[in-house]
Amino acid sequence: MKNKDGKSKFITKDILNTAILESFKKLNPKYMIKNPVMFVVEIGFFISAILTIFPDVFGDKGNNLRIYNLIVAVILFITVLFANFAESVAEGRGKAQAETLKKTRKDTIAKLLQKNGDIKTINANELKKGDIVLVENGDIIPNDGEVIEGIASVDESAITGESAPVMKESGGDFASVTGGTKVVSDWLKVKITATPGESFLDKMINLVEGASRQKTPNEVALNTILVSLTLIFLIVLVALYPMASYTGVKIQMSTLIALLVCLIPTTIGGLLSAIGIAGMDRVTRFNVIAMSGKAVEACGDVDTMILDKTGTITFGNRLAADFITVGSSDKKKLIDYSVMCSLKDDTPEGKSIVELGNKMGCSIDKKRYEDIDFIEFTAQTRMSGIDLEDGTEVRKGAYDAIKNRINKLKGVIPDDLEETVNKVAKLGGTPLVVCVNNKIYGVIYLKDTVKPGLVERFQRLREIGIKTIMCTGDNPLTAATIAKEAGVDGFIAECKPEDKIEAIKKEQAEGKLVAMTGDGTNDAPALAQADVGLAMNSGTTAAKEAANMVDLDSDPTKVLEVVEIGKQLLITRGALTTFSIANDVAKYFAVIPAIFVSAIPQMQVMNIMKLSTPHSAIISALIFNAIIIPLLIPIAMKGVKYRPMKSEAMLLRNMLIFGLGGVIAPFIGIKILDLLITPLVRILNLG
C-alpha cells in the first residue's frame, strides 16, 4: 500500500493486525530460544509470574509484594511482546510484498512442445527442467527459461514495474525470460531452466516472506556478543545478592530479575532480527533478488567495485559527433561517403552517422542506393560498407583494418591520419576511418557519453573508501579518457573475460571484498568469483546462476545503490547496538544507586536522578526498557540515513548521536517515569 506521494507506507492496518497476532504466537519457548537475550527475559517473566502467586517462595517479604511481582511480570511480558512485534512488523512488510508478487503467479497454462512436434496443453506446475514450450502473443511465460527460437516483445512490468516491453530473442545476452512475464507480440520457443517452485519469482517470494532467511555471519557474531554480555551480567547479579545481604540490603528475587533485564542488551536483542529482515526487504523493494542475507551484508563491506564501461558508466551507444578530414580530402565528400555506406547500417552508430550527415548537408540521393548490397561488419574484417555498381568500394572501419586494406591496394596513408585517430581516442571517442577504393578521406568521430551523475556517485564511494575499476575493450587511450571523465580510480583496457577474474582475484588477495555486475555467459566466471555478483535479469541463465544477486530491472549501475543499502544495513545495526549498550550503562547508574543508597548513604553521590524509592526506580527502568523497543522500530525498518564518509568519521558520528543519545535518553526517560510512578508506588505501599 502506498500513500499519496507514491511511497510505501511504513505500516498498514493489515500488517499491524498480523504483527500483533504473530507477537503472541512467537511467545512459544521453542521459537524464543533462537533469540537468547529475549529468551532470558521470557524466563524472567515466568519466574515473576510464579512469584506473583507464591510471593514468599524465596523468603521475600514486604508490603504488597504480590502486587510488585505482578507489575514486574506484566512489564517483562510486554517487553517480550514488543520485541516479537518488531520482528513481526518486518516480516509483515515482506509478506505484504510477497502477496503482491503471488498475484503474478497465476494457474498458468503451458503449451508443451512434444518430440513429434505436437503441442500438449498442461499446467505450468507439471513442467520439468529441459522442457520446451511455445508462448505466443498474450501468453504468460510459465517458468524461467532460455529463448531457443523466435523473437518477441515481453512485458515484465508484473515483476520489474517497468512498463516498456523488452525484446527477447535466441542467442546473445537477451535470451533469458522470467516466469510470470507476458508475451505481447509474436512468439517464442522457450527451454525451461527451472523446476516449479524454484524460479526467480519463487525465490523472491520466499526471501521477502523471510522463509529462506538465515542469520548472516556478522549477525551470528553479534548474537554471540549479546549472549556473552547476558552471561556476564548474570554472573554480576549472582555476586550482587550476597554483597547486598552483607551491607544489609534485602533484594527481592523479582528485583534481581528486573535488574538483570534492565542491564542485559534487550534493546538490540529485540531489534536484531528485525534489522536483518528489513535490510532484505529494502533490497527486494529495490527490485533486486538477493540469494541470501549474506549477499546483502557483503555489499556493506565491499572495498572494490569492478564495473563494465558500456551500459554501466557510459550509455553504450556510440553516436557520430563529427567528420574529420585527413590529407587534402574534401569534407563534403567525406560526409557523403560516410552516409552512403551507413544507409543500410541498422546499428545505433550507423543511424547516427546518417542523421549527423543530413544535419551537415549531405547531398546524395538515397534512393540510388536502395538496391545496393550492404557489407556488414564482422569481427574478422572489422569494417563495413558498400560496393557500387561502377566498381567503387566504400568502407568504414577500425584504423588498423582500413590501414591494412589500403596497404594491400597500394594506396597512400595520409600523414595526419594516425594523429587524427589518436586525437579522437584521447577525447574518449571511437575513430572510424572512411576510405573509397585505395584513398582515405577521413575519420568519423563516434562518442560514447558518460552517464550524468556518475562522477558525483563515484566520489561518494571514494569518500567511504571504495575503489572503482572500469573494464573496457577499448584501447588504453580511449579507456584513460573515459576513466578520467567518469572519475573512476582505475581501468583495465582491452579487457577480456579472464582479465576480470584476474582483477577480482588480485583485489581479494589483498584482503578486499569485490563487487561486480554482468549479464553475459562470459561474465559468469567473474560473477561467481566476486564476493558480490549482481547479474542482470535480461542476461543469460549462466550469469544469473553464477551471481548471488539478480537485478530485475537490468540496470547495471544499480550495484552502486545496492552497495549503499548494504552499508545502511551495517550502519543501522551498529548504531542501534551502540545505543543499546549505552542504554544499559545509563540504566546501571540509574538503578543501582537507588537500591543501595539507603544502606550506603555515600552512594547518594551516584544517585544523579534522585529517584524516589528502589521500587519506583526498578519499575521506571523496566518500563523504559520495554517502550524503547517499539520507539526504535521505525529506525530499524527504514534504516539509519546513509551518509558517505570514512569509517572513522562514521564511528565518531554514531558514538556522538547513538552513543551519547543512548546514555542521555534513559536518564531523562526514567526520571520522567519515576515522577509519574512514585504516587502509585506510595498508594500501593510497595515500600
Side-chain angles (χ1 to χ4, degrees):
M1 187 178 291
K2 297 184 178 181
N3 55 26
K4 294 179 181 179
D5 299 328
K7 296 181 180 179
S8 297
K9 289 183 177 180
F10 165 64
I11 187 170
T12 64
K13 184 178 179 181
D14 290 339
I15 293 175
L16 178 63
N17 293 336
T18 303
I20 292 172
L21 181 62
E22 287 295 316
S23 299
F24 284 92
K25 288 182 179 180
K26 290 178 187 291
L27 290 171
N28 187 335
K30 289 183 179 179
Y31 183 88
M32 289 300 300
I33 200 169
K34 296 176 183 178
N35 186 342
V37 176
M38 298 314 299
F39 183 60
V40 169
V41 179
E42 187 174 44
I43 292 174
F45 155 69
F46 284 126
I47 295 174
S48 299
I50 293 170
L51 291 176
T52 301
I53 303 171
F54 308 105
D56 57 349
V57 170
F58 294 96
D60 294 338
K61 295 179 182 179
N63 297 328
N64 297 325
L65 187 58
R66 184 177 277 111
I67 296 175
Y68 173 66
N69 292 340
L70 176 64
I71 292 172
V72 171
V74 169
I75 297 173
L76 292 180
F77 180 72
I78 292 172
T79 303
V80 177
L81 276 184
F82 281 161
N84 290 345
F85 179 75
E87 185 176 9
S88 299
V89 168
E91 291 175 346
R93 282 166 61 87
K95 288 177 181 177
Q97 186 186 7
E99 288 302 317
T100 302
L101 290 171
K102 284 178 181 177
K103 291 177 183 177
T104 67
R105 193 175 60 179
K106 304 173 184 176
D107 293 330
T108 309
I109 299 299
K111 299 173 182 176
L112 177 65
L113 287 173
Q114 298 180 305
K115 291 182 179 179
N116 60 7
D118 293 341
I119 296 176
K120 181 182 179 182
T121 302
I122 63 172
N123 192 293
N125 292 329
E126 299 176 33
L127 287 173
K128 300 185 295 294
K129 191 173 182 178
D131 285 344
I132 297 174
V133 298
L134 174 69
V135 282
E136 300 174 292
N137 187 8
D139 290 347
I140 300 294
I141 295 173
N143 209 336
D144 296 351
E146 291 267 3
V147 178
I148 59 173
E149 189 179 335
I151 179 170
S153 294
V154 176
D155 178 7
E156 297 183 330
S157 59
I159 294 176
T160 67
E162 177 57 52
S163 58
V166 179
M167 192 64 68
K168 298 289 183 178
E169 59 184 321
S170 60
D173 294 341
F174 294 91
S176 175
V177 291
T178 306
T181 56
K182 184 178 182 180
V183 176
V184 292
S185 75
D186 303 296
W187 58 272
L188 296 170
K189 285 184 182 179
V190 177
K191 183 177 182 180
I192 301 301
T193 58
T195 55
E198 296 181 2
S199 69
F200 280 104
L201 182 60
D202 291 308
K203 289 177 183 177
M204 189 172 186
I205 290 170
N206 287 335
L207 285 165
V208 297
E209 284 184 324
S212 299
R213 182 182 176 271
Q214 295 180 339
K215 288 185 178 180
T216 63
N218 281 351
E219 206 170 337
V220 171
L222 181 56
N223 211 46
T224 303
I225 293 172
L226 298 183
V227 171
S228 300
L229 288 173
T230 301
L231 290 174
I232 290 170
F233 279 117
L234 185 60
I235 293 169
V236 168
L237 286 177
V238 170
L240 185 66
Y241 188 80
M243 289 171 59
S245 299
Y246 180 77
T247 58
V249 177
K250 175 64 176 175
I251 302 180
Q252 294 148 348
M253 181 55 64
S254 53
T255 298
L256 278 175
I257 293 170
L259 192 57
L260 175 63
V261 171
C262 284
L263 299 184
I264 64 176
T266 50
T267 305
I268 188 61
L271 295 172
L272 185 59
S273 183
I275 294 168
I277 295 171
M280 294 286 290
D281 179 54
R282 282 194 292 275
V283 171
T284 52
R285 287 175 185 273
F286 209 62
N287 262 2
V288 173
I289 299 176
M291 301 307 174
S292 67
K294 184 178 179 181
V296 180
E297 195 169 88
C299 291
D301 289 325
V302 163
D303 302 294
T304 304
M305 291 178 64
I306 307 289
L307 301 160
D308 277 328
K309 185 203 79 170
T310 306
T312 304
I313 293 175
T314 64
F315 284 107
N317 294 332
R318 300 174 302 166
L319 306 179
D322 198 6
F323 300 99
I324 307 170
T325 58
V326 294
S328 58
S329 300
D330 179 52
K331 188 165 186 173
K332 186 177 182 301
K333 286 187 177 181
L334 171 62
I335 295 172
D336 288 348
Y337 282 125
S338 298
V339 173
M340 194 183 299
C341 65
S342 302
L343 288 172
K344 294 191 175 182
D345 186 350
D346 291 329
T347 63
E349 295 92 337
K351 292 177 181 178
S352 71
I353 290 170
V354 174
E355 184 179 346
L356 181 64
N358 291 335
K359 289 180 181 179
M360 298 182 69
C362 175
S363 59
I364 66 170
D365 182 5
K366 298 180 181 60
K367 292 181 180 179
R368 287 182 54 192
Y369 306 98
E370 288 180 352
D371 298 326
I372 300 295
D373 291 333
F374 174 66
I375 300 168
E376 294 187 0
F377 177 91
T378 65
Q380 290 74 31
T381 63
R382 299 179 67 203
M383 65 178 78
S384 64
I386 57 172
D387 292 338
L388 303 180
E389 294 175 351
D390 60 2
T392 302
E393 298 177 347
V394 185
R395 298 287 187 273
K396 69 176 191 289
Y399 164 64
D400 54 348
I402 297 294
K403 183 179 177 181
N404 290 337
R405 176 183 174 83
I406 296 301
N407 286 333
K408 287 180 182 179
L409 296 174
K410 309 299 183 183
V412 177
I413 306 294
D415 295 335
D416 57 345
L417 177 62
E418 185 174 358
E419 181 185 348
T420 303
V421 168
N422 288 338
K423 182 179 178 182
V424 170
K426 286 179 180 179
L427 291 171
T430 301
L432 279 185
V433 181
V434 179
C435 70
V436 181
N437 296 326
N438 64 350
K439 181 181 179 181
I440 294 177
Y441 276 77
V443 174
I444 303 172
Y445 173 19
L446 298 178
K447 186 179 181 182
D448 194 358
T449 308
V450 173
K451 292 183 178 181
L454 280 187
V455 176
E456 291 78 11
R457 290 166 77 181
F458 287 140
Q459 178 59 32
R460 288 171 62 189
L461 292 174
R462 194 174 296 110
E463 288 173 357
I464 56 175
I466 295 178
K467 181 171 71 173
T468 51
I469 299 175
M470 179 186 76
C471 292
T472 175
D474 292 335
N475 62 63
L477 284 173
T478 302
T481 304
I482 292 290
K484 184 178 180 181
E485 186 179 347
V488 294
D489 299 310
F491 65 89
I492 303 173
E494 298 175 344
C495 183
K496 299 182 288 296
E498 53 268 30
D499 294 331
K500 294 180 183 178
I501 298 176
E502 287 303 315
I504 293 170
K505 287 182 177 179
K506 181 182 177 182
E507 293 294 320
Q508 289 174 332
E510 296 175 5
K512 297 177 181 177
L513 266 66
V514 183
M516 78 156 287
T517 61
D519 58 3
T521 301
N522 61 350
D523 290 326
L527 287 168
Q529 180 66 41
D531 299 285
V532 177
L534 179 64
M536 302 298 102
N537 191 44
S538 61
T540 62
T541 301
K544 290 190 281 188
E545 288 180 349
N548 49 22
M549 304 182 93
V550 177
D551 175 22
L552 295 177
D553 295 331
S554 299
D555 177 5
T557 63
K558 194 178 283 187
V559 68
L560 302 174
E561 280 87 357
V562 171
V563 167
E564 291 188 355
I565 291 174
K567 288 283 185 188
Q568 186 184 39
L569 170 62
L570 296 180
I571 291 168
T572 302
R573 187 182 295 154
L576 292 184
T577 300
T578 303
F579 185 88
S580 177
I581 293 174
N583 252 263
D584 297 333
V585 173
K587 284 180 284 186
Y588 179 86
F589 283 102
V591 176
I592 294 294
I595 294 175
F596 284 92
V597 71
S598 59
I600 309 174
Q602 291 85 350
M603 291 195 75
Q604 184 67 40
V605 177
M606 296 179 64
N607 189 16
I608 302 171
M609 290 184 285
K610 309 297 182 187
L611 301 180
S612 304
T613 67
H615 285 123
S616 70
I618 284 289
I619 294 172
S620 300
L622 268 184
I623 293 174
F624 177 85
N625 193 64
I627 63 175
I628 198 65
I629 295 175
L631 290 178
L632 291 174
I633 289 178
I635 296 177
M637 296 294 103
K638 296 180 181 178
V640 175
K641 189 173 181 180
Y642 170 76
R643 299 175 188 273
M645 62 180 70
K646 295 289 184 182
S647 56
E648 297 84 358
M650 193 178 298
L651 177 62
L652 180 61
R653 180 176 179 272
N654 282 346
M655 290 299 292
L656 286 173
I657 296 176
F658 293 94
L660 188 60
V663 171
I664 295 173
F667 279 97
I668 297 173
I670 292 173
K671 180 59 180 177
I672 293 172
L673 288 169
D674 180 70
L675 292 173
L676 296 173
I677 289 169
T678 298
L680 178 64
V681 170
R682 287 172 179 166
I683 291 172
L684 296 174
N685 193 26
L686 296 179

